[in-house]
């Protein structure tokens, strides 16, 4: 039970990070929050990278793909914190949980993977869930809604680019990811920098990066000691925490459309994941069997 416990704890930590981020961007500039968040995360990351060896940073495979992943991850984090300034936490999290569906849809074209009719059906259901969450109307074309879709797509492309970099150590990937966001934050922070009002806010700004790093480490550890089929579906508990924290801290009551759309997205994502696991097991026995 250690793996599932660590995954559940990691999702809770991610939800706490997101709730703190939503709270902080209401008072401080977007670039400012991301800059301080990144600096705090680097305090934890630098010793880890140092122990792993600086050669992992100086000699990396596929530098162009590394740069692309950093660009996507930086765009994703800026879009996320912009979206939570204006939308309920659960709504934004629903869009981000659709990223695996985007990955499945793009995999035949970018990764050369075969996708059969079952998964295409699940992908279509997932996209319907996204549309329902958007509540088709003039409101769906508001900037926060558009930014949410762009951010979740950037997250999906970050996941895809990560598949090309499986040989790169996790600490190296996370270091470049955090450093990229920090550099972007440094550029934009002077635009809307606000004096830090209290020591409490300063602690929260620092904790934002520390909690995020702790969440990453918990999830990575869970995936290393348990089978992915056991722990990966637990990522959807993030939506539950988003609803709970959104209601407790911000008074957000989930919309009916959001709940229906989220249910379709979660069901679609789970089906795609389970189907992929079944095909992997089948290929280990009979590699020539098509989907």
């Amino acid at each position: 039970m250690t793996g599932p416990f660590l995954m559940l704890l990691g999702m809770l930590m991610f939800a706490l990070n997101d709730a703190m981020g939503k709270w902080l961007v209401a008072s401080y500039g977007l670039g400012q929050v991301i800059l301080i968040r990144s600096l705090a995360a680097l305090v934890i990351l630098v010793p880890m990278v140092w122990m792993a060896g600086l050669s992992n940073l100086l000699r990396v495979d596929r530098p162009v793909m590394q740069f692309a992943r950093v660009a996507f991850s930086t765009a994703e984090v800026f879009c996320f914190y912009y979206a939570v300034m204006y939308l309920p936490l659960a709504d934004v999290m629903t869009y981000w949980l659709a990223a695996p569906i985007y990955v499945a849809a793009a995999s035949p074209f970018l990764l050369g993977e075969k996708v059969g009719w079952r998964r295409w059906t699940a992908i279509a259901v997932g996209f319907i869930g996204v549309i329902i969450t958007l509540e088709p109307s003039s409101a769906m074309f508001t900037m926060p809604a558009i930014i949410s879709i762009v951010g979740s797509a950037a997250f999906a492309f970050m996941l895809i680019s990560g598949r090309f970099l499986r040989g790169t150590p996790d600490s190296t990937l996370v270091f470049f990811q955090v450093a990229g966001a920090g550099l972007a934050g440094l550029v934009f922070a002077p635009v809307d920098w606000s004096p830090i009002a209290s020591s409490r806010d300063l602690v929260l700004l620092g904790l934002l990066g520390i909690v995020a790093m702790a969440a990453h480490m918990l999830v990575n550890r869970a995936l290393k000691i348990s089978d992915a089929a056991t722990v990966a579906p637990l990522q959807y508990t993030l939506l539950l925490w988003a609803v709970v924290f959104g209601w407790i801290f911000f008074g957000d009551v989930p919309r009916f459309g959001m709940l229906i759309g989220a249910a379709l997205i979660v069901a679609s994502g789970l089906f795609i994941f389970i189907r992929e696991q079944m095909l992997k097991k089948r290929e280990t026995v009979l590699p020539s069997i098509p989907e």
Side-chain angles (χ1 to χ4, degrees):
M1 296 298 295
T2 303
F5 173 77
L6 293 178
M7 176 62 79
L8 289 171
L9 185 58
M11 292 301 104
L12 172 60
M13 298 290 279
F14 271 126
L16 283 171
N17 173 80
D18 298 338
M20 287 192 297
K22 180 176 175 63
W23 182 279
L24 291 167
V25 292
S27 304
Y28 300 100
L30 184 59
Q32 178 182 5
V33 170
I34 292 175
L35 172 61
I36 299 176
R37 172 186 185 268
S38 301
L39 291 175
L42 286 174
V43 171
I44 297 177
L45 264 178
V46 168
M48 295 173 58
V49 173
W50 183 272
M51 288 187 293
L54 293 179
S55 60
N56 291 327
L57 293 180
L58 300 176
R59 296 194 305 269
V60 294
D61 296 330
R62 313 184 78 164
V64 174
M65 188 61 65
Q66 297 278 359
F67 178 82
R69 184 180 182 277
V70 170
F72 287 131
S73 65
T74 301
E76 177 265 331
V77 73
F78 269 84
C79 287
F80 181 86
Y81 285 116
Y82 177 89
V84 295
M85 280 195 288
Y86 302 100
L87 297 176
L89 190 60
D91 287 41
V92 178
M93 199 59 64
T94 298
Y95 296 128
W96 256 253
L97 287 177
I101 299 170
Y102 304 156
V103 173
S107 60
F109 311 102
L110 299 180
L111 300 174
E113 298 177 356
K114 293 182 179 180
V115 175
W117 68 270
R118 295 179 182 85
R119 278 185 286 173
W120 278 121
T121 302
I123 290 168
V125 170
F127 279 119
I128 292 172
V130 173
I131 293 172
I132 292 175
T133 304
L134 279 170
E135 291 187 344
S137 66
S138 59
M140 72 180 288
F141 297 106
T142 60
M143 187 57 67
I146 294 172
I147 291 295
S148 294
I149 296 299
V150 172
S152 61
F155 182 50
F157 281 111
M158 185 192 83
L159 296 176
I160 291 172
S161 60
R163 293 194 180 186
F164 290 99
L165 302 170
R166 290 171 178 164
T168 304
D170 291 341
S171 59
T172 301
L173 290 175
V174 176
F175 178 85
F176 285 139
Q177 180 178 332
V178 173
L183 287 174
L186 183 62
V187 171
F188 290 103
V191 176
D192 53 1
W193 185 277
S194 299
I196 299 176
S198 65
S199 57
R200 181 200 65 180
D201 287 357
L202 180 60
V203 170
L204 287 176
L205 285 164
L207 280 176
L208 197 62
I210 296 173
V211 170
M213 286 307 307
H216 276 295
M217 288 188 286
L218 287 167
V219 171
N220 287 339
R221 185 61 180 167
L223 290 170
K224 287 180 179 179
I225 65 176
S226 293
D227 186 80
T230 301
V231 298
L234 297 176
Q235 67 179 312
Y236 291 105
T237 60
L238 190 61
L239 183 58
L240 172 63
W241 289 118
V243 171
V244 171
F245 291 154
W247 176 63
I248 293 175
F249 297 119
F250 308 105
D252 296 331
V253 178
R255 296 177 294 107
F256 180 74
M258 187 281 293
L259 294 175
I260 297 298
L264 292 175
I265 290 170
V266 171
S268 173
L270 285 174
F271 179 86
I272 291 170
F273 176 79
I274 293 170
R275 183 63 182 167
E276 289 175 347
Q277 295 299 311
M278 291 173 60
L279 291 173
K280 287 178 182 178
K281 290 181 179 179
R282 182 186 299 178
E283 289 171 359
T284 58
V285 180
L286 296 171
S288 61
I289 290 183
E291 181 178 3

